[in-house]
Amino acid sequence: MKVTITTLLLVFSFLALTGCSKATEPQQADIAVFEQFLSENPISSINPSIDIASIYQPSDPLFESVLYIQRNLWAEAKKQLEPMAKNQNPDAKFWLASITWGTGIKNNPIAKKLYMESAEQGNPYAALFFSPKNDICQMYYSSECSEKWVEKAQKLFAEQAKTGNVRALYYSTILKPDLTHEEYIDAVIQSAEKHYYYPLVEYSNNLRKAEDSNQEMKELAIELLNYARFNNFVPAIESLMKIEGKHKRMNGSIYKELMTQGISLGANYAWRGYRILSIEDDSLSEKEKYIAAKATELFNGDDFAISFTHPPKEKEALIAANNKAQEKADSVKRVIYIDGAHVPEG
């Protein structure tokens, strides 16, 4: 099952739910606050251990399914999620809806039903899907979009926050109707201190793109992204790679370091860069180019580069190359960094 443009819109609509208000707009005064945070939490090289607030651990029933989604292997995820959804698992219904929506006109009502059931059964992200601020909801399910779902999501997050759930603590705060900028910044920092780095990355990206962003603010954004990157958070790595790419520095040492780190952690953007640069690299043999393309296909189903390579003709050489590719794909860390508010872009 391939990623579609409509799915990409779904990703950005989720982000918009938590990123568009006066209280969350970056301010010049934030610099001093974050500089203090960075001075109290110094890190200037990649952490040898991975310590991010992942939603699922390998022992959790949904781990494999969501890892498949993260890697864009949706057909495999669907096979695992459907039985759990039939057994009334609200989280399984949410994730199944996330990979069902946008895959065909007939599938949109199925996704809507799954989202609705998941929300009614207590999944706050599913409830948030029906926010009036969600463009996808307004476009396709306008009669269902209501503030009552936002209120329900906030209450569900608040209940989960009592258990110390770091995501719940963050979203229960920023969904408050009377949220202040100070509360927002404090929530971003507290989340980072508890190893949930999405808010910090989102703030950093907004800081760079803000209309009144000056050089000092842009530099702070890079520092914050590097803080999350050094803590092995994939979205920060991808943001930094995109910045390097925007400035045409894809052959530079920083981009290559980011790509190497991203590949080891399962960043789809890094793997795309890897297979593109590999097939364009004249210093690589045809066999090496094939191994890079095959490894990418095995990792996340991206078979784009295969058609541009020439696999070994001899059977034994082909088997050896495929084994090398499998080893590279298998070497990727099995860590989930996506969550209900951040469905993968593909």
Side-chain angles (χ1 to χ4, degrees):
M1 191 180 295
K2 298 297 183 183
V3 179
T4 62
I5 294 299
T6 45
T7 307
L8 295 183
L9 292 174
L10 174 61
V11 175
F12 297 126
S13 71
F14 269 119
L15 297 181
L17 292 178
T18 59
C20 295
S21 75
K22 194 71 176 176
T24 60
E25 289 180 5
Q27 297 179 10
Q28 182 75 25
D30 299 343
I31 294 176
V33 179
F34 280 107
E35 283 184 342
Q36 181 178 346
F37 163 73
L38 291 170
S39 68
E40 293 173 351
N41 300 273
I43 183 169
S44 56
S45 60
I46 298 173
N47 192 332
S49 62
I50 302 173
D51 189 10
I52 65 171
S54 183
I55 47 173
Y56 300 119
Q57 300 301 319
S59 59
D60 296 321
L62 280 164
F63 179 85
E64 291 291 338
S65 314
V66 178
L67 186 64
Y68 278 136
I69 293 175
Q70 181 173 284
R71 296 182 176 183
N72 294 325
L73 299 172
W74 291 4
E76 290 85 342
K78 185 178 179 183
K79 289 176 186 176
Q80 293 191 353
L81 289 169
E82 284 181 333
M84 288 187 277
K86 287 179 181 178
N87 286 332
Q88 302 304 311
N89 183 313
D91 293 343
K93 288 182 180 181
F94 169 81
W95 288 108
L96 185 57
S98 298
I99 60 174
T100 300
W101 190 92
T103 57
I105 295 175
K106 293 181 179 180
N107 289 337
N108 287 345
I110 297 173
K112 173 190 167 184
K113 183 173 183 290
L114 287 166
Y115 274 130
M116 189 67 71
E117 290 178 358
S118 178
E120 289 172 343
Q121 292 171 357
N123 185 297
Y125 300 105
L128 206 53
F129 176 84
F130 295 104
S131 164
K133 293 180 182 178
N134 186 348
D135 293 339
I136 300 302
C137 185
Q138 290 289 4
M139 191 180 301
Y140 291 93
Y141 315 126
S142 58
S143 63
E144 305 291 351
C145 309
S146 170
E147 283 294 334
K148 75 175 185 179
W149 291 109
V150 180
E151 294 171 9
K152 182 177 180 64
Q154 205 276 337
K155 289 177 181 176
L156 288 169
F157 280 126
E159 194 63 31
Q160 291 181 4
K162 294 177 182 177
T163 66
N165 183 313
V166 61
R167 287 172 174 78
L169 285 164
Y170 175 72
Y171 290 109
S172 64
T173 298
I174 69 164
L175 287 174
K176 289 166 51 178
D178 56 348
L179 176 71
T180 66
H181 182 71
E182 290 72 23
E183 287 175 322
Y184 166 66
I185 295 299
D186 186 56
V188 170
I189 290 174
Q190 285 194 39
S191 295
E193 289 177 340
K194 294 181 176 71
H195 312 292
Y196 179 46
Y197 301 109
Y198 259 124
L200 191 70
V201 170
E202 289 167 356
Y203 172 84
S204 302
N205 290 334
N206 290 335
L207 186 61
R208 287 187 60 254
K209 297 172 184 176
E211 289 184 9
D212 59 349
S213 180
N214 54 36
Q215 188 60 30
E216 191 179 12
M217 294 167 80
K218 285 181 168 61
E219 289 174 0
L220 173 64
I222 298 297
E223 285 186 63
L224 294 175
L225 287 173
N226 271 307
Y227 174 84
R229 173 254 172 135
F230 290 142
N231 280 293
N232 295 300
F233 190 57
V234 163
I237 297 169
E238 294 185 332
S239 289
L240 288 166
M241 286 185 71
K242 289 172 185 177
I243 293 169
E244 291 298 299
K246 182 180 178 181
H247 290 91
K248 311 298 182 184
R249 298 192 292 252
M250 289 188 291
N251 290 318
S253 60
I254 294 176
Y255 187 87
K256 290 178 180 178
E257 288 173 12
L258 291 166
M259 187 169 68
T260 298
Q261 184 187 10
I263 288 169
S264 71
L265 295 169
N268 289 310
Y269 190 83
W271 275 84
R272 281 199 292 272
Y274 166 66
R275 53 96 158 141
I276 290 171
L277 293 179
S278 294
I279 60 176
E280 294 178 348
D281 190 343
D282 293 334
S283 70
L284 296 180
S285 67
E286 287 300 323
K287 178 183 176 181
E288 289 171 324
K289 291 181 180 183
Y290 170 75
I291 290 172
K294 185 65 177 178
T296 305
E297 180 187 32
L298 291 168
F299 167 67
N300 64 6
D302 181 355
D303 59 0
F304 173 80
I306 288 288
S307 59
F308 295 95
T309 65
H310 303 284
K313 293 181 179 180
E314 295 180 4
K315 184 178 179 181
E316 288 186 6
L318 179 60
I319 291 173
N322 286 338
N323 287 340
K324 280 281 186 183
Q326 189 68 62
E327 285 175 16
K328 187 166 185 66
D330 290 343
S331 70
V332 178
K333 302 290 191 296
R334 290 164 54 81
V335 178
I336 293 174
Y337 56 84
I338 63 172
D339 59 30
H342 307 89
V343 178
E345 297 180 20

